[in-house]
Amino acid sequence: MSYYQPALLLCKYNLQNVVGRYAVRLFRKTEKVSCDNGGLQSMNAVHQPKKKGPVPVNETEIGELVNVSRLKEDLQKGFDQLKSDYMKHLSLRSASGSIENLQVNFEGETYTLQEIAQIGRKGSQLIVVNLSGFPTVMKDVLKAINDSGMGLNPQQDGTTIFIPVPKVTKEYRESLAKNAKILFQKFKDHCRDIQNKYIREVKKKEKEVSSDLAHSVQQQIHSMAELYVSEGEKVMIDKQNELLGKD
């Protein structure tokens, strides 16, 4: 049977002027119609749910339940970190240019690599990191290098780490572009964590305020986080285009 099935719809267009004239139209089996106001309308078209846009943000209203300045500061901090990581670690010369400032977390403190290691080079294609003066931080340094997004492949030999500097090939560009997405996902997770933290604050005050206010503030906090995620995604796309040589 054909996908379309004839259906004779007896709907008068206008009883005053067109008496006895009827409309004939083909509809899909599942489509409903109405004959309101003398015209044919597809009920599927009329009753399509409207897509919800982002909830408008009213900082004054949010401020009734949480510290808005601190919320924005927490979200902005993650955004600034994303841009900093992209600038320091995701450029085609990042391996030799920014390894000194690579951040290493050790026992709750953050150090730059050059603060805890001797960094040298053998030619233009090999970086040598000497940790003989601070060997206990080896594991954390290796983790920092692997998580940096620079596409490096460190090799440990005792208290020394050898880091080959990758040649700028198509594969290397694609690897960096992939790492840009990984760093963005970390930023996105950061925004979700901040969002959930402040929503929990609101929920603790639900009994003290109207349910409408509590619900509205939660939705607005979500909207603020999404705005930062959206901006971060734009930065990621620009960085990926730069790394891949696209306009």
Side-chain angles (χ1 to χ4, degrees):
M1 181 181 290
S2 170
Y3 184 77
Y4 292 92
Q5 178 180 356
L8 185 62
L9 305 175
L10 305 180
C11 298
K12 295 183 179 180
Y13 284 113
N14 190 313
L15 290 176
Q16 295 179 348
N17 302 320
V18 188
V19 179
R21 295 184 61 185
Y22 299 94
V24 179
R25 186 176 176 184
L26 298 180
F27 278 84
R28 295 175 184 263
K29 292 180 183 180
T30 57
E31 189 171 21
K32 298 179 181 180
V33 295
S34 71
C35 302
D36 295 338
N37 300 323
L40 287 172
Q41 288 184 309
S42 165
M43 294 297 288
N44 288 345
V46 173
H47 295 289
Q48 282 287 343
K50 294 181 179 179
K51 292 184 178 180
K52 294 183 179 180
V55 176
V57 174
N58 184 331
E59 292 188 12
T60 301
E61 187 172 77
I62 298 175
E64 294 184 38
L65 298 182
V66 300
N67 187 322
V68 181
S69 297
R70 195 177 67 215
L71 168 59
K72 293 168 66 177
E73 182 180 333
D74 288 345
L75 290 168
Q76 185 66 42
K77 186 182 297 184
F79 183 64
D80 291 341
Q81 185 63 52
L82 177 69
K83 293 193 294 183
S84 176
D85 287 343
Y86 280 174
M87 180 179 67
K88 290 180 180 178
H89 306 317
L90 290 184
S91 71
L92 298 178
R93 54 185 178 81
S94 59
S96 58
S98 64
I99 193 71
E100 290 89 348
N101 294 314
L102 181 66
Q103 293 189 332
V104 180
N105 295 316
F106 177 68
E107 295 185 348
E109 299 291 336
T110 300
Y111 306 88
T112 61
L113 186 57
Q114 63 186 351
E115 290 179 305
I116 56 179
Q118 294 179 332
I119 303 172
R121 289 173 175 76
K122 286 188 176 181
S124 60
Q125 297 299 313
L126 186 66
I127 299 173
V128 182
V129 180
N130 186 339
L131 288 166
S132 58
F134 202 173
T136 55
V137 78
M138 174 66 72
K139 179 180 177 181
D140 301 281
V141 170
L142 288 171
K143 184 178 187 303
I145 296 171
N146 287 321
D147 293 348
S148 68
M150 288 191 279
L152 303 177
N153 184 28
Q155 304 295 323
Q156 179 186 355
D157 182 7
T159 58
T160 303
I161 299 175
F162 296 98
I163 308 173
V165 178
K167 294 181 179 179
V168 181
T169 61
K170 178 182 177 181
E171 290 73 19
Y172 181 56
R173 288 174 178 269
E174 290 174 347
S175 175
L176 289 181
K178 182 178 179 180
N179 288 334
K181 186 173 183 179
I182 292 173
L183 289 175
F184 166 70
Q185 186 59 52
K186 289 183 179 179
F187 163 68
K188 189 175 180 179
D189 291 341
H190 165 80
C191 289
R192 295 287 185 271
D193 290 341
I194 296 301
Q195 167 192 296
N196 294 336
K197 171 187 173 183
Y198 284 88
I199 285 179
R200 284 195 297 270
E201 285 190 22
V202 174
K203 288 184 175 181
K204 290 179 181 178
K205 301 176 182 178
E206 282 181 327
K207 294 182 180 180
E208 304 171 13
V209 299
S210 70
S211 58
D212 286 345
L213 175 61
H215 178 72
S216 176
V217 170
Q218 290 178 56
Q219 293 297 310
Q220 291 180 62
I221 290 173
H222 173 73
S223 283
M224 286 185 68
E226 287 301 306
L227 286 172
Y228 277 87
V229 170
S230 178
E231 289 302 308
E233 186 172 25
K234 292 177 183 176
V235 173
M236 177 196 70
I237 292 172
D238 288 344
K239 173 55 68 172
Q240 287 181 320
N241 288 339
E242 173 194 322
L243 294 169
L244 296 173
K246 297 181 179 179
D247 294 332

